[in-house]
């Protein structure tokens, strides 16, 4: 239980640092709140830049067994679907090993690893947590659960078939 307390304190500190205390996580059906991702290479990607894409925000941890199974699946799925407008960002949680120790893993990934997200997106009580945002900028999925191939297909294929909404 001592380790659990450390995780809870670490998550609280991370939320406080991002200004998330009191912020509510986005819910399915809501307009997706704006966010800015800081990728491991230091570059930034904002939700505005991703409008018209189907976006998966995947919160994971290096110690999480289901995350270790899900990450390669998400990566392969992204590689097959990116030409259809899919973007996937893997956000390592604060209690993972340091980013510098994950360089070898990141070099093998097609998806974009992120080290931070600014906005109300957070784990929903457990990892992995996934959010799916559609082309129009609405939250279509928000759940603490690992994806399997069948669920990825049922959630993402219909969204990837939707037309890109007109700008403005």
């Amino acid at each position: 239980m001592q380790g659990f307390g450390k995780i809870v304190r670490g998550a609280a500190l991370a939320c406080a640092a991002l200004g998330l205390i009191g912020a509510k996580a986005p819910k399915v059906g809501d307009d997706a709140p704006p966010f800015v991702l800081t990728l491991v290479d230091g570059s930034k990607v904002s939700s505005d830049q991703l409008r018209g894409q189907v976006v998966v925000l995947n919160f994971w941890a290096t110690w999480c067994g289901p995350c270790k199974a899900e990450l390669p699946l998400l990566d392969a799925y992204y590689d097959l679907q990116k030409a259809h407008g899919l973007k996937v960002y893997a956000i390592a949680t604060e209690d993972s090993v340091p980013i510098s120790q994950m360089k070898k893993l990141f070099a093998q990934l097609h998806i974009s690893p992120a080290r931070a997200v600014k906005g109300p997106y957070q784990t929903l009580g457990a990892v992995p947590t996934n959010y799916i945002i559609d082309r129009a900028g609405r939250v279509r999925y928000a759940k603490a659960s690992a994806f399997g191939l069948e669920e990825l297909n049922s959630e993402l294929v219909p969204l990837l078939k939707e037309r890109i909404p007109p700008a403005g």
Side-chain angles (χ1 to χ4, degrees), residues 42 45 56-57 86-88 97 102 107 109 111 123 128 135 138 144 154 162:
V45 176
V56 176
L57 299 178
L86 179 64
K87 295 286 189 183
V88 178
V97 299
M102 292 188 258
L109 294 177
I111 60 179
T123 60
R135 295 182 189 280
R138 294 190 65 78
S154 69
E162 290 179 354

Side-chain angles (χ1 to χ4, degrees), residues 5-116:
K6 184 177 178 182
I7 291 168
V8 170
R9 282 190 304 279
L13 289 173
C15 288
L18 294 173
L20 297 179
I21 299 297
K24 292 183 180 174
K27 291 188 169 87
V28 174
D30 289 351
D31 286 334
F35 62 86
V36 176
L37 296 167
T38 302
L39 304 183
V40 295
D41 66 6
S43 64
K44 295 189 184 292
V45 176
S46 73
S47 51
D48 289 341
Q49 294 170 291
L50 298 170
R51 185 71 64 165
Q53 306 287 312
V54 175
V55 178
V56 176
L57 299 178
N58 169 255
F59 289 83
W60 68 286
T62 53
W63 51 264
C64 166
C67 299
K68 291 177 188 178
E70 179 186 53
L71 196 59
L73 175 64
L74 271 174
D75 191 57
Y77 198 87
Y78 166 71
D79 196 38
L80 292 171
Q81 297 290 355
K82 63 185 175 190
H84 302 287
L86 179 64
K87 295 286 189 183
V88 178
Y89 296 92
I91 305 148
T93 58
E94 292 291 319
D95 55 344
S96 293
V97 299
I99 296 289
S100 61
Q101 293 180 22
M102 292 188 258
K103 285 184 180 182
K104 193 174 185 179
L105 169 66
F106 295 156
Q108 298 172 20
L109 294 177
H110 298 97
I111 60 179
S112 298
R115 60 181 176 191

